[in-house]
Amino acid sequence: ASHIYGLLAALDRYATDPAVGCIVITGAGRAFCAGGDAEEMVEMEAAGNVTRKDYLWRSIHRIPLAMERLDKPVIAAVNGTARGAGMDMAIMCDLRIAAASATFAESYINMGLISGDGGMYFLPRLIGCARALELLWTGRVVDAAEAERIGLVNRVVPDGEVLSAAQELAAN
């Protein structure tokens, strides 16, 4: 959960910093974001409904709200796997640049869940209702080329160039 609060603090800080004109979000390592913390999900399930609801409201659900309120452009530099909450993080951004090897999936269905991190709201607006429902209901993995073709990402660049491409776009 500390990473969630760190992201929220960074978004708040950058939102009010006049020196920041655009925000670029990327992953550390080989993945953009592999999704939620499975151990944390099990703990929350055992904690009961009210505790789980309170946790989601105080942490995870604040991210799409903060992203939607930002009045500065946000670019996702998708450097690898974006699953579940990771895909939702990418689609919360205003623009998405993907590495050629990046993959996307609304993988919640594989755990018997529905998207709770903004995917149900943002995905249909981005790629249309029918395509969004297909991805939400099947959890199917979409590669970068298909993601570009269906409008999930704005551009695909060679691996290793995604961050520099996003930073170049942000500088414009």
Side-chain angles (χ1 to χ4, degrees), residues 73-96:
V74 181
I75 301 171
V78 184
N79 56 311
T81 300
R83 297 283 189 280
M87 179 168 165
D88 290 349
M89 173 59 69
I91 65 177
M92 286 177 215
C93 296
D94 299 303
L95 302 173
R96 284 149 302 284

Side-chain angles (χ1 to χ4, degrees), residues 1 11 19 21 23 30 38 49 58 84 88 94 128 134 143 149 152 157 159 167 170:
L11 290 173
I23 299 167
R30 296 179 305 152
N49 293 338
R58 283 191 323 272
D88 290 349
D94 299 303
E134 176 193 356
D143 66 21
R149 182 179 57 77
L152 185 62
V157 298
D159 291 351
Q167 289 170 332

Side-chain angles (χ1 to χ4, degrees), residues 5 7-8 24 30 34-35 37 42-44 52 58 62 67 79 81 83 93 116 128 130 132 136 155-156 168:
Y5 297 118
L7 175 59
L8 287 167
V24 174
R30 296 179 305 152
D37 182 332
V42 170
E43 289 174 18
M44 283 298 110
R52 184 172 55 249
R58 283 191 323 272
R62 287 179 55 203
M67 297 281 283
N79 56 311
T81 300
R83 297 283 189 280
C93 296
L136 290 162
R155 186 172 6 141
V156 175
E168 181 180 323

Side-chain angles (χ1 to χ4, degrees), residues 12-98:
D12 285 344
R13 186 172 60 251
Y14 298 142
T16 59
D17 185 341
V20 175
C22 184
I23 299 167
V24 174
I25 296 177
T26 193
R30 296 179 305 152
F32 177 73
C33 178
D37 182 332
E39 283 183 27
E40 197 171 80
M41 288 182 213
V42 170
E43 289 174 18
M44 283 298 110
E45 184 66 30
N49 293 338
V50 172
T51 301
R52 184 172 55 249
K53 188 255 328 154
D54 288 345
Y55 166 75
L56 291 171
W57 184 255
R58 283 191 323 272
S59 61
I60 293 170
H61 292 168
R62 287 179 55 203
I63 294 172
L65 295 172
M67 297 281 283
E68 189 68 8
R69 281 192 308 265
L70 272 171
D71 64 349
K72 297 178 181 182
V74 181
I75 301 171
V78 184
N79 56 311
T81 300
R83 297 283 189 280
M87 179 168 165
D88 290 349
M89 173 59 69
I91 65 177
M92 286 177 215
C93 296
D94 299 303
L95 302 173
R96 284 149 302 284
I97 308 294

